[in-house]
Amino acid sequence: QIELGGNAWATEPRIIASFDYLKRRDGVFREVQNVRFNVIVCDECHHLADNTLTEDVSDRHRLAQWVSKACDALLLLSATPHSGYDESLASLLNLLEPTLVPETTALRYRNYSRHLIRHLKRHIKQPDGSDFFVPAKPSKPIAVTLTDDETAVHAAVARQAGVLDEQAEQLKSARDKFALRLVATILRKRASSSLTALRSTVARRLENLEKAAEDVEVRRDHLRALRKGETVSDEALSQLELDAHRSFLARIRSAGKKLKTIEQETQDLLDLQDLLAKCPTDTDSKARALLAELKSIHDVNPTDKIIIFSEYADTVEWLVDFLTRNGYESKLVQYDGSLTGPQRKKALADFAKPETLLLVSTDSAAEGLNLQTHCHRVIHIELPFNPNRMLQRQGRVDRFGQTEVCEFGFLYAKDTYEGEVLKRLLGKIE
């Protein structure tokens, strides 16, 4: 309907577009960058924060910098809590007024309170003064006791990851240090999720060592998100782990004797594989603890629906099989990043059915879904590094329209790396 050569961005009175569509430097951004607007409203504005301490600015934050100069009035909206990283909040405040935060290390609420409206759920009341939102119960920690064989696996993981951390300290380049630490972190997190997830990682790394690929760099945006403990897609997370290990192999070769050799890396993984072989593949302690918790809930409330979250698709797939074999056949739905749009809709429709009790999902269901009308329970299989991830997951049910008291739980093996993560999470929440 626009004349040939016309610019829709300059002629339409109201436009709705996504950040990722607008940020394309070779396409849309070229058309929009010289247009000025009366008002720009950015929803989910936490995605526009500058999540790097380097000069390497993300395309999203570059878009945000343009947005801040392209309008007379700017509104930034988000229902995601502050991540705890001062530089992220400062980068958003500076979009509103560049002089608000002269030094990231000196954030003071009184300096920018005129520019920030902050409502917590407890602040929002009904006309009669009663709570608008039903307050949730405190999260319930569900301790997991490991078997001797599982304890040996976790001890081996801790040793290998500890060596990688020590070797990272010997490197001068911050990029090399992070590449090495990322490999160690992935190993720990996979072990915390499930033995199946760890088996998958070990197998992939052994295969990767055989290929000895050195030409793949860690993807920038996904790397930044992982660094900050934010959500990335299931496919991106899997690829990122592979890339991190390939990048690590390249560092091994370039650093020579400073790091363990590829032969030593191979032997460590084979040793870990031997320890994993002693553990059964059809069950593990965390799965049994989850099953006991589900049974205790359904013994008292047989119709209650529960969402079970894991960071890893490997763990979700294995849990679906485990729970199907242990009393939940035809009573659960699997949800992950591999589903197409219609499949996702069907999965959510199936979860809404009275006979479906469980939704087992990766973080692909942690944002943008409204499940509060028929569910008020969430269980986390493993602890994410960032408390925002937990809140985003729980926000699928703890939101406007919820009439029940929400109940949350998380599983953790206290004598493993998860105990350390729990302490750090509590510190971050404070």
Side-chain angles (χ1 to χ4, degrees), residues 166-430:
E166 290 173 9
Q167 291 174 339
E169 287 302 313
Q170 300 172 23
L171 300 175
K172 294 180 180 179
S173 163
R175 186 179 181 185
D176 288 356
K177 282 186 179 182
F178 185 74
L180 205 53
R181 284 185 180 140
L182 183 58
V183 173
T185 299
I186 290 169
L187 194 63
R188 291 180 175 116
K189 289 174 75 175
R190 283 276 184 167
S192 296
S193 181
S194 68
L195 294 182
T196 297
L198 182 59
R199 285 187 181 98
S200 175
T201 290
V202 170
R204 277 203 296 265
R205 285 191 183 168
L206 285 169
E207 182 182 348
N208 200 27
L209 284 166
E210 291 175 13
K211 292 179 180 177
E214 297 183 9
D215 58 340
V216 180
E217 285 298 328
V218 178
R219 282 144 174 80
R220 290 188 310 160
D221 286 347
H222 296 151
L223 183 59
R224 288 195 193 95
L226 198 66
R227 182 181 286 156
K228 292 297 185 183
E230 296 171 357
T231 303
V232 296
S233 71
D234 302 344
E235 183 181 355
L237 183 62
S238 179
Q239 184 62 52
L240 189 61
E241 292 181 10
L242 180 62
D243 290 353
H245 195 244
R246 286 174 174 171
S247 183
F248 160 58
L249 295 180
R251 304 294 186 272
I252 288 180
R253 288 187 170 84
S254 63
K257 294 181 180 178
K258 288 184 182 178
L259 302 180
K260 65 167 75 174
T261 63
I262 286 182
E263 290 74 18
Q264 182 59 52
E265 164 82 351
T266 303
Q267 189 56 53
D268 287 348
L269 291 172
L270 289 172
D271 291 344
L272 187 53
Q273 209 168 46
D274 288 343
L275 290 172
L276 283 165
K278 297 178 182 178
C279 302
T281 58
D282 61 342
T283 187
D284 66 26
S285 296
K286 190 169 267 193
R288 287 193 295 273
L290 171 66
L291 185 62
E293 181 68 16
L294 296 178
K295 295 288 188 186
S296 68
I297 292 171
H298 287 139
D299 283 348
V300 179
N301 303 287
T303 61
D304 275 12
K305 296 178 181 291
I306 305 167
I307 305 173
I308 301 166
F309 275 109
S310 172
E311 188 169 359
Y312 297 107
D314 294 324
T315 299
V316 166
E317 192 171 328
W318 183 83
L319 275 176
V320 167
D321 177 65
F322 172 81
L323 293 169
T324 298
R325 288 185 278 106
N326 286 275
Y328 286 94
E329 186 178 7
S330 73
K331 296 179 182 178
L332 57 78
V333 173
Q334 180 176 343
Y335 193 98
D336 59 51
S338 68
L339 301 182
T340 63
Q343 288 172 331
R344 291 184 180 213
K345 286 184 179 179
K346 183 180 184 305
L348 296 176
D350 288 343
F351 183 52
K353 295 175 181 176
E355 63 271 20
T356 306
L357 298 178
L358 306 179
L359 178 70
V360 189
S361 177
T362 62
D363 282 316
S364 58
E367 284 189 295
L369 296 184
N370 297 303
L371 303 173
Q372 70 274 24
T373 57
H374 47 272
C375 181
H376 64 278
R377 295 181 184 271
V378 171
I379 295 177
H380 310 273
I381 288 296
E382 71 281 304
L383 291 163
F385 280 20
N386 190 328
N388 272 4
R389 293 276 291 280
M390 294 185 76
L391 291 171
Q392 282 176 329
R393 292 171 173 182
Q394 292 165 191
R396 298 316 95 217
V397 299
D398 187 11
R399 60 196 299 115
F400 174 66
Q402 179 60 261
T403 58
E404 302 286 337
V405 175
C406 290
E407 298 189 41
F408 310 123
F410 60 88
L411 291 100
Y412 78 105
K414 63 181 179 179
D415 295 324
T416 69
Y417 186 60
E418 283 192 295
E420 183 182 338
V421 172
L422 179 57
K423 283 189 287 187
R424 291 190 185 188
L425 270 178
L426 293 174
K428 282 187 177 185
I429 290 169
E430 287 301 313

Side-chain angles (χ1 to χ4, degrees), residues 46-59:
H46 53 281
H47 290 307
L48 294 179
D50 185 12
N51 286 332
T52 175
L53 297 174
T54 69
E55 298 297 319
D56 185 21
V57 179
S58 71
D59 283 347

Side-chain angles (χ1 to χ4, degrees), residues 34-87:
N34 294 320
V35 181
R36 186 164 184 84
F37 297 88
N38 301 113
V39 180
I40 295 181
V41 181
C42 297
D43 195 18
E44 306 289 2
C45 67
H46 53 281
H47 290 307
L48 294 179
D50 185 12
N51 286 332
T52 175
L53 297 174
T54 69
E55 298 297 319
D56 185 21
V57 179
S58 71
D59 283 347
R60 277 185 179 176
H61 190 61
R62 185 178 287 104
L63 172 67
Q65 291 171 335
W66 168 80
V67 160
S68 70
K69 299 178 180 67
C71 58
D72 301 322
L74 175 63
L75 294 174
L76 304 178
L77 313 179
S78 178
T80 296
H82 169 33
S83 67
Y85 291 95
D86 284 351
E87 68 272 14

